[in-house]
Amino acid sequence: HDSTAGEKIRVIIVRFMDFRAKEKEKLKDPKKELGDVTTINLTQLKGGVQTNVVPTSLSVIFDIRIDPSIDHTEFEAMIKKWCEEAGADVTYSFEQKDPKIENTKLDNSNPFWLAFKKACDDLEIKLQIGIFPGGTDSRYIRQVGIPSIGFSPMNKTKILLHDHDEYLNKDIFLKGIEIYMKIIPAVANI
């Protein structure tokens, strides 16, 4: 059989995984954080009805978190091109598609940032500033024009978000409550 669903889906998977490898390579730079790259994870493959029948269609699902500096229109055009390269009747859709939203400014123009930073400085908390694209509901808050700062007091904890063995030490959890008890009033009183 020519031009099978398997041949077509292979092209799509290779394109996405090659893009993923390039983004992953960027993380070798110690100045780069997870939010500085586009993450792509193949999360589902579907199709086929039995071993000896060539399926008419197959589908693949990727979880994609786009680097905030990437133009969304160009990124989608790239996906469209990959589908065209894969062959006839290869399409794509989005389960969720967030618009490009500006990051909250973390400088002297943002009084909430200044209050937050001062509270952290007073607590002698060393902040690790980064972008966590698509990871919190703050994207919806920023989408309506309200600045948003995400914060997690999970220090000394391996990042295991969405992993099969995600956990948090009870002492880190309890210390986090104490930290929030200082930060929340500082920011709320702006």
Side-chain angles (χ1 to χ4, degrees), residues 101-168:
I101 304 166
E102 289 300 314
N103 294 332
T104 297
K105 292 191 183 318
L106 302 182
D107 60 22
N108 291 340
S109 70
N110 183 343
F112 298 101
W113 166 250
L114 294 175
F116 176 84
K117 177 85 169 77
K118 181 180 180 330
C120 289
D121 289 347
D122 291 348
L123 290 165
E124 298 180 0
I125 295 173
K126 182 180 177 215
L127 294 174
Q128 181 179 347
I129 298 170
I131 297 167
F132 198 60
T136 69
D137 291 338
S138 63
R139 64 183 179 252
Y140 304 115
I141 296 168
R142 287 192 317 274
Q143 191 173 351
V144 295
I146 300 169
S148 177
I149 300 168
F151 173 71
S152 173
M154 291 173 34
N155 58 356
K156 301 177 186 163
T157 301
K158 182 178 177 185
I159 296 174
L160 296 169
L161 299 172
H162 302 291
D163 209 335
H164 68 281
D165 62 350
E166 183 177 351
Y167 68 89
L168 179 61

Side-chain angles (χ1 to χ4, degrees), residues 7-190:
E7 291 171 314
K8 293 175 182 181
I9 201 168
R10 178 186 174 275
V11 172
I12 298 301
I13 291 171
V14 166
R15 296 294 187 277
F16 272 101
M17 298 311 274
D18 285 351
F19 188 92
R20 179 184 196 276
K22 287 177 186 169
E23 293 296 293
K24 195 173 175 182
E25 187 69 24
K26 292 177 186 177
L27 291 174
K28 289 183 178 177
D29 178 347
K31 295 177 188 160
K32 295 282 185 185
E33 300 273 336
L34 196 55
D36 297 325
V37 300
T38 296
T39 62
I40 296 177
N41 289 295
L42 192 160
T43 56
Q44 292 181 35
L45 286 168
K46 299 177 183 179
V49 291
Q50 80 184 47
T51 307
N52 65 342
V53 176
V54 176
T56 56
S57 68
L58 295 168
S59 67
V60 60
I61 297 176
F62 294 94
D63 178 62
I64 304 169
R65 310 294 170 106
I66 299 178
D67 163 2
S69 69
I70 298 294
D71 181 290
H72 289 208
T73 304
E74 289 177 15
F75 191 84
E76 187 171 350
M78 179 180 67
I79 294 172
K80 182 178 180 183
K81 181 177 176 249
W82 292 345
C83 289
E84 291 167 357
E85 291 170 356
D89 301 320
V90 176
T91 62
Y92 66 93
S93 63
F94 298 96
E95 285 185 6
Q96 179 179 342
K97 183 180 176 184
D98 294 324
K100 185 174 174 80
I101 304 166
E102 289 300 314
N103 294 332
T104 297
K105 292 191 183 318
L106 302 182
D107 60 22
N108 291 340
S109 70
N110 183 343
F112 298 101
W113 166 250
L114 294 175
F116 176 84
K117 177 85 169 77
K118 181 180 180 330
C120 289
D121 289 347
D122 291 348
L123 290 165
E124 298 180 0
I125 295 173
K126 182 180 177 215
L127 294 174
Q128 181 179 347
I129 298 170
I131 297 167
F132 198 60
T136 69
D137 291 338
S138 63
R139 64 183 179 252
Y140 304 115
I141 296 168
R142 287 192 317 274
Q143 191 173 351
V144 295
I146 300 169
S148 177
I149 300 168
F151 173 71
S152 173
M154 291 173 34
N155 58 356
K156 301 177 186 163
T157 301
K158 182 178 177 185
I159 296 174
L160 296 169
L161 299 172
H162 302 291
D163 209 335
H164 68 281
D165 62 350
E166 183 177 351
Y167 68 89
L168 179 61
N169 178 284
K170 69 176 176 53
D171 295 328
I172 299 296
F173 174 77
L174 294 172
K175 180 67 176 170
I177 293 171
E178 292 176 25
I179 292 169
Y180 278 125
M181 288 175 63
K182 303 279 188 201
I183 291 174
I184 291 171
V187 173
N189 286 319
I190 293 297

